[in-house]
Amino acid sequence: QKEVEQNSGPLSVPEGAIASLNCTYSDRGSQSFFWYRQYSGKSPELIMFIYSNGDKEDGRFTAQLNKASQYVSLLIRDSQPSDSATYLCAVNEWGDDKIIFGKGTRLHILP
Amino acid sequence: SAVISQKPSRDICQRGTSLTIQCQVDSQVTMMFWYRQQPGQSLTLIATANQGSEATYESGFVIDKFPISRPNLTFSTLTVSNMSPEDSSIYLCSVETGKDGYTFGSGTRLTVV
């Protein structure tokens, strides 16, 4: 059974600080890794994807992947109240079209 | 990335009835995915729908309960049959958008009473 694990939170972070969200996965064959943001009552929206070990930066967001440790993380710099949402980690295996989601981490940015 | 129009956005249904959810994509896609998101939970894949073939269902989901149609490369429907309160959930369709990942429809919030 392929699993994606996330701390459910809530994770509370002061405005302006760095929010760090973590995710581990069980399937060593996983090749693609995604971070989705989901506001309450809305559908998930993709904010980052990463395929290679190391860091990938996009604006205030940085995704970090360590395949040896089966670990992927998302850093949000200069956190804003609008970043308050549930963040879903998702992975898929090379050649497999479906993706498996973690249960999500609720992030709360404190004004 | 693809734009998905999903409807209805919400519905309240009587137990024992069926509801059909529609997703229309603004471009042709090979596969469409149907997810369920129960209150406070993450997304669980129900099935993968290919055009011209039967849908592939995940463990715990069966065609009799969740029949899916995929008549062409831009459209799919999911029916929730013989509903019970346990089927109350958000149902989402999704398509792969190449390297940019997967895009979701706006979701259907179903309440069964």
Side-chain angles (χ1 to χ4, degrees):
Chain A
Q1 175 95 8
K2 300 175 184 178
E3 293 184 346
V4 178
E5 299 285 343
Q6 294 180 257
N7 188 320
S8 62
L11 174 65
S12 296
V13 174
E15 183 175 357
I18 296 175
S20 178
L21 303 164
N22 303 316
C23 173
T24 60
Y25 57 95
S26 63
D27 184 9
R28 285 196 172 274
S30 299
Q31 295 287 340
S32 305
F33 306 86
F34 307 91
W35 282 100
Y36 283 85
R37 177 177 61 200
Q38 186 174 27
Y39 292 113
S40 180
K42 302 294 185 182
S43 60
E45 56 178 327
L46 180 69
I47 53 173
M48 290 284 290
F49 62 90
I50 186 168
Y51 302 136
S52 304
N53 274 328
D55 295 359
K56 179 181 178 182
E57 187 175 318
D58 184 0
R60 296 188 296 113
F61 299 97
T62 299
Q64 299 176 317
L65 175 61
N66 184 325
K67 289 186 178 181
S69 301
Q70 295 177 240
Y71 177 93
V72 57
S73 65
L74 179 70
L75 303 178
I76 307 175
R77 290 182 299 280
D78 188 23
S79 297
Q80 304 295 312
S82 59
D83 295 325
S84 297
T86 296
Y87 289 80
L88 300 166
C89 173
V91 306
N92 82 338
E93 186 178 311
W94 190 258
D96 192 347
D97 294 296
K98 58 189 180 186
I99 56 174
I100 306 299
F101 283 86
K103 292 187 177 181
T105 298
R106 284 186 296 135
L107 176 64
H108 181 48
I109 305 301
L110 303 170
Chain B
S1 60
V3 176
I4 304 174
S5 174
Q6 182 173 347
K7 58 182 180 182
S9 58
R10 60 178 61 231
D11 207 342
I12 300 174
C13 300
Q14 297 289 325
R15 69 174 66 202
T17 63
S18 298
L19 175 72
T20 296
I21 302 166
Q22 300 179 4
C23 275
Q24 178 75 52
V25 190
D26 68 346
S27 59
Q28 294 185 337
V29 293
T30 304
M31 292 186 180
M32 294 181 72
F33 305 91
W34 287 97
Y35 286 86
R36 180 175 72 183
Q37 187 173 30
Q38 294 178 307
Q41 302 297 313
S42 188
L43 287 81
T44 301
L45 182 64
I46 297 171
T48 303
N50 271 334
Q51 192 266 335
S53 63
E54 277 199 9
T56 302
Y57 289 83
E58 297 300 305
S59 176
F61 298 96
V62 295
I63 188 171
D64 290 346
K65 177 67 176 176
F66 298 102
I68 287 172
S69 78
R70 184 80 202 277
N72 57 53
L73 292 173
T74 63
F75 187 78
S76 180
T77 68
L78 170 77
T79 298
V80 186
S81 303
N82 188 25
M83 288 183 285
S84 67
E86 291 71 35
D87 295 319
S88 297
S89 187
I90 297 173
Y91 293 85
L92 296 131
C93 61
S94 174
V95 301
E96 185 179 6
T97 52
K99 65 178 181 65
D100 294 334
Y102 296 73
T103 298
F104 287 85
S106 54
T108 298
R109 183 180 296 272
L110 170 63
T111 303
V112 183
V113 296

